[in-house]
Each structure stands twice: as C-alpha cells, then as structure tokens.
Amino acid sequence: MQHEGDFSFVIDFKKGSGNPRRVFDAASALIDAFQSLDRAVLPTLDGKIETSLVLEDVASGSLRVRLANALRSVDEDALKSGDWKRLAGGFANGVRLRAIRYLDKEEDAQPRLGEFKKDILADAVQTDVRHLPDYAPLHDGRLIAALDKLQRAKAELEVGDGLVVEIGKSEYTVDLKETWLPSETLKTVPAQPIEKENILELVLTVRRPDMLKDTMWQFMHGKSNVSAAMRDEPWLDEYHARKIPIYPGDALLCTVRVVYSYDEKGELIDQRTEVIKVHNVIPGSIQDDLPL
C-alpha cells in the first residue's frame, strides 16, 4: 500500500515539570484527531476512499512524530489514474493546516466556519482527482467532532509546552492557549440523516436511454459510468414522441443535480444523480443509421 502525504508534529515540552505522561497522551490524541479529520473530509474527494495513519518515525529530545497517510479506494476506476494518492495526501495535509489555523482564534468562529468549509471544497476541486466535478459537501457534525478532538488534544499540554506542525518545508506554531470547543461555540447539525446537493453543468454521452419512462438513463462522463434519472419532463416527452432523435455517440448538454445522503454519524450512505434540464443534443463524431 502506497503511503502519501507525509507530515509531522513536534511537541516541545518543559522538562522536569508536570506529568510526563501528558506528552504521550497529547501525541496519541493528536494522531486520533488528525485521523478523524481525514475521515471527515476525504469523502469530499470520493466516498470510497479509505484512510489510516501510519507511524513513520518518532524522534527524541522534543517529541517529533512523523506520520503518513495510507490511502486506498475500493473503486479506483472512479478516480483519475496516476498520482491520485499524492494529490489526496496533499489535500489532507492542507486541510489539517487550515483546521489548526481556524482553531487558533475563537473570534467570529461561526462565519469563519463557512469560509473554512468553502476553502476545503475549493481544495478538493483543485485536486481534480475525479472524472466528474461532483465533490461532495462536508458534513458539519462530523467535521466539528474532529475539530473538538484537536482542541482536546491541545488541552493535554501545559503552559511552557509547545506544538509545531510541519508540512513539507513549512512550519506552523500552534496556539495552545486556544482550547475552545467548536461543538459548544458553533451551531451544529442535528444528529439525523441529512441531504446536500450540488448543481452541475455537464456534457454526458448517452450509453443507454430510458425507452420505458421508468428506468435510469445510462451515460458516460470521461471514463466514469453515470446512472441518472431524467427529470426534464417536457424534453422527455418530446424524446418519447420521437421528435428528438439520439444516435450512438451523441451527448447531452444538461444541468445535473447530485444529491448526497448522510446518516447520523456523517457517513455518506447514498448518492443519486438527476438530469433536471437538457439544453441540447451534441452530435457524436460517428453516427449509425438507427437512432437510440
């Protein structure tokens, strides 16, 4: 299994004072918190990515912990071939740093949460690891739970201790005085199933249309198979009335709604795609005599 997205954190502790166990408790809590954060945000790239953290090294003096992501997808065909693990690891690293910076100031926490989530989604889109631009929205409850874990890990350390996060050649000194809990400060999402959606403009190549008015249309987008319900009733009526011919290789320029369903734990449990508006048919480069 390939390890991507190495990062480190360093705990500078005041020697000879306090309970020495605090340093190891804080390190363990930080590892758990970063892993929870990964699991809260990586489904934005793809709901089938599985992640775990691997301990690469522990250095003495100051306690330096070097970790790496072990990433795997149960459906790698849905992701672009090549270096998706490197891109996903870099995305996770960027989110960790954004999270630490966000937590270093309680002021304006609620409006800054919106910007924080928007930046995470922009980072996900920037990776371009999917054939489709349908990057799932974040689940607030799961994200806030991970941020709480980071704050509780920081609270394990004492006055005089220090914490530095290292990503590549960059270092960031964490403010250990800021230990406010997002779950107590922010308006959290109720613990119940929720739905979120993205509206996209896509060109979808027709693989199999619905001839019976009660099944899903089958499309291709890049190398990805897409099953979608056709919700543009006026267009659909014209198609079934044979007023709109579709030939092999033709594509539809359309507006698509992707709806994501999460359970009470923030797990992505369902994703459905609907074509809500067909703008026009794009002829394929090669057409057979008979329409689909």
Side-chain angles (χ1 to χ4, degrees), residues 121-139:
L121 186 56
D123 289 347
V125 173
Q126 187 66 32
T127 66
D128 195 30
V129 298
R130 291 180 58 80
H131 301 292
L132 287 168
D134 59 335
Y135 294 89
L138 292 164
H139 184 278

Side-chain angles (χ1 to χ4, degrees), residues 29-283:
L30 283 167
I31 293 170
D32 181 57
F34 283 127
Q35 184 153 283
S36 294
L37 185 62
D38 289 351
R39 289 173 178 169
V41 301
L42 281 171
T44 295
L45 295 183
D46 187 85
K48 296 180 181 179
I49 290 179
E50 298 176 355
T51 180
S52 60
L53 290 179
V54 179
L55 184 63
E56 293 279 284
D57 189 27
V58 175
S60 59
S62 299
L63 180 64
R64 181 188 302 272
V65 179
R66 183 168 179 261
L67 300 168
N69 276 322
L71 299 171
R72 185 175 75 91
S73 174
V74 297
D75 184 14
E76 297 207 9
D77 289 341
L79 301 172
K80 286 190 174 179
S81 60
D83 57 355
W84 75 264
K85 292 182 180 180
R86 178 184 64 81
L87 295 168
F91 166 75
N93 276 348
V95 172
R96 295 182 193 117
L97 185 56
R98 287 189 187 281
I100 289 291
R101 286 174 169 165
Y102 171 76
L103 293 168
D104 273 358
K105 187 176 72 170
E106 184 176 6
E107 185 181 358
D108 298 326
Q110 189 72 51
R112 288 194 302 109
L113 179 66
E115 292 300 316
F116 175 45
K117 290 164 52 184
K118 188 183 300 183
D119 289 340
I120 292 174
L121 186 56
D123 289 347
V125 173
Q126 187 66 32
T127 66
D128 195 30
V129 298
R130 291 180 58 80
H131 301 292
L132 287 168
D134 59 335
Y135 294 89
L138 292 164
H139 184 278
D140 289 1
R142 200 171 190 191
L143 176 62
I144 289 171
L147 296 177
D148 273 5
K149 285 188 175 184
L150 280 170
Q151 293 296 72
R152 291 191 175 101
K154 288 162 56 177
E156 294 282 351
L157 298 172
E158 297 180 352
V159 175
D161 295 335
L163 175 62
V164 176
V165 174
E166 300 177 337
I167 298 176
K169 296 181 180 180
S170 300
E171 294 184 357
Y172 182 80
T173 301
V174 181
D175 188 348
L176 295 180
K177 298 189 298 296
E178 291 285 351
T179 56
W180 59 281
L181 291 178
S183 61
E184 297 176 356
T185 303
L186 303 169
K187 298 176 182 177
T188 58
V189 174
Q192 61 185 17
I194 63 168
E195 290 190 345
K196 295 192 175 185
E197 66 177 41
N198 277 345
I199 303 296
L200 310 167
E201 298 291 325
L202 297 178
V203 174
L204 299 175
T205 301
V206 180
R207 289 181 58 237
R208 187 183 307 128
D210 168 24
M211 306 300 294
L212 303 175
K213 294 190 177 182
D214 60 358
T215 60
M216 304 286 279
W217 283 60
Q218 304 298 320
F219 299 101
M220 290 290 293
H221 187 276
K223 296 181 180 179
S224 294
N225 295 320
V226 179
S227 296
M230 182 64 70
R231 302 302 187 198
D232 188 344
E233 294 293 340
W235 185 91
L236 195 58
D237 289 342
E238 290 197 10
Y239 170 73
H240 284 122
R242 301 186 179 183
K243 295 180 180 179
I244 302 175
I246 296 179
Y247 295 86
D250 286 355
L252 304 182
L253 173 61
C254 48
T255 301
V256 175
R257 177 192 292 119
V258 184
V259 182
Y260 309 89
S261 298
Y262 299 87
D263 65 15
E264 65 278 1
K265 296 180 180 179
E267 297 283 355
L268 184 63
I269 56 176
D270 187 40
Q271 177 178 324
R272 64 183 187 273
T273 303
E274 303 172 341
V275 175
I276 57 178
K277 179 66 177 177
V278 178
H279 300 289
N280 60 273
V281 177
I282 301 174

